[in-house]
Amino acid sequence: METVPISLIVKDSLYPIALLDNDLRLVNYSNSFLETFTDKTEIQGESILDIIQNSPEQFKQHLEESLQGRTQLKASAKFALPNGNAHWLKWKLQVITQGEDMPNCVLVMLEDITEEKRNAELLLRAELVSRTGSWEVDLVQNTVFWSPMTKIIHEVPSDYLPTIAGGINFYKEGFYRDLISELVNDAMADGKPWDTELIIVTTKGKELWVRAKGEAELVNGTCTRISGTFQDID
């Protein structure tokens, strides 16, 4: 099978992509990279930090770390573009080994996630107004997600890591905790959704009336995910 040179893959990419040497100078780049960061027609041999001026500090740090042997690095941050607009860009840095007689290169792949970030901010604003959060339990990966508003309602810190048992224990002991446990079990067993009003006790000991909604996702009769909303109606 014929191997397509990495330089051709870079050049034809629809995303801003650049191939750098060990001095962080541009060996190759996509047309999208050129159009995103400069109005020049040729930038080969120039430093990427001269082209992407005022780069976020984490981006600069990741470039340096890639030169020191870190083979894969990912993150996102806000970049100031030449047109005066600020865009959120997600990056991935990949060290490319070219062979014994050739130095390694760093492949920089960028993706504009401004719209995604904007939608997330609008959703958070809506949550703040309605005091409604969201949550999700992935039973395959054994992970639990709470949105920022769900954490605010429970009065836990933003870095709080929820668990299934921990979430149930926030409900007031007795009737309300037994009820939510029953609703969750029914959803996991039969896919039955719930929409009910319950009392929780926050981390600070405050009792709150909440509206809890949830539904299960079943695959071949097995529950793989439960998700829903959580609203402060006190």
Side-chain angles (χ1 to χ4, degrees), residues 20-151:
L20 311 177
D21 63 17
N22 286 330
D23 294 319
L24 298 180
R25 295 190 178 277
L26 290 146
V27 176
N28 208 333
Y29 47 86
S30 65
N31 292 328
S32 177
F33 182 90
L34 187 69
E35 294 167 0
T36 299
F37 296 108
T38 182
D39 56 3
K40 297 181 179 181
T41 57
E42 177 61 52
I43 55 176
Q44 187 168 350
E46 295 193 39
S47 170
I48 189 172
L49 296 178
D50 289 336
I51 298 302
I52 308 179
Q53 297 184 5
N54 302 315
S55 299
E57 288 302 317
Q58 188 178 18
F59 181 67
K60 295 177 184 177
Q61 180 182 340
H62 278 186
L63 286 171
E64 292 297 330
E65 289 180 11
S66 67
L67 296 180
Q68 296 167 11
R70 293 283 300 275
T71 56
Q72 284 196 14
L73 293 158
K74 302 178 185 177
S76 64
K78 189 176 289 187
F79 287 69
L81 300 185
N83 60 11
N85 294 327
H87 281 234
W88 275 92
L89 299 179
K90 178 171 66 176
W91 67 80
K92 178 180 178 182
L93 307 185
Q94 176 85 45
V95 175
I96 304 295
T97 303
Q98 300 192 97
E100 295 182 1
D101 300 328
M102 298 181 67
N104 293 344
C105 289
V106 178
L107 182 64
V108 180
M109 294 168 279
L110 295 147
E111 181 183 355
D112 193 325
I113 58 169
T114 305
E115 192 67 26
E116 179 183 325
K117 283 287 185 179
R118 185 177 292 118
N119 289 339
E121 289 175 359
L122 291 173
L123 177 60
L124 180 57
R125 290 177 189 175
E127 286 187 350
L128 290 170
V129 171
S130 64
R131 297 279 296 178
T132 302
S134 58
W135 57 270
E136 181 181 87
V137 177
D138 188 327
L139 296 169
V140 177
Q141 300 296 327
N142 195 30
T143 57
V144 181
F145 165 80
W146 282 6
S147 73
M149 178 49 65
T150 299
K151 293 181 180 180

Side-chain angles (χ1 to χ4, degrees), residues 7-28:
S7 58
L8 291 180
I9 296 175
V10 169
K11 202 68 178 177
D12 294 338
S13 174
L14 297 176
Y15 294 96
I17 293 182
L19 195 63
L20 311 177
D21 63 17
N22 286 330
D23 294 319
L24 298 180
R25 295 190 178 277
L26 290 146
V27 176
N28 208 333

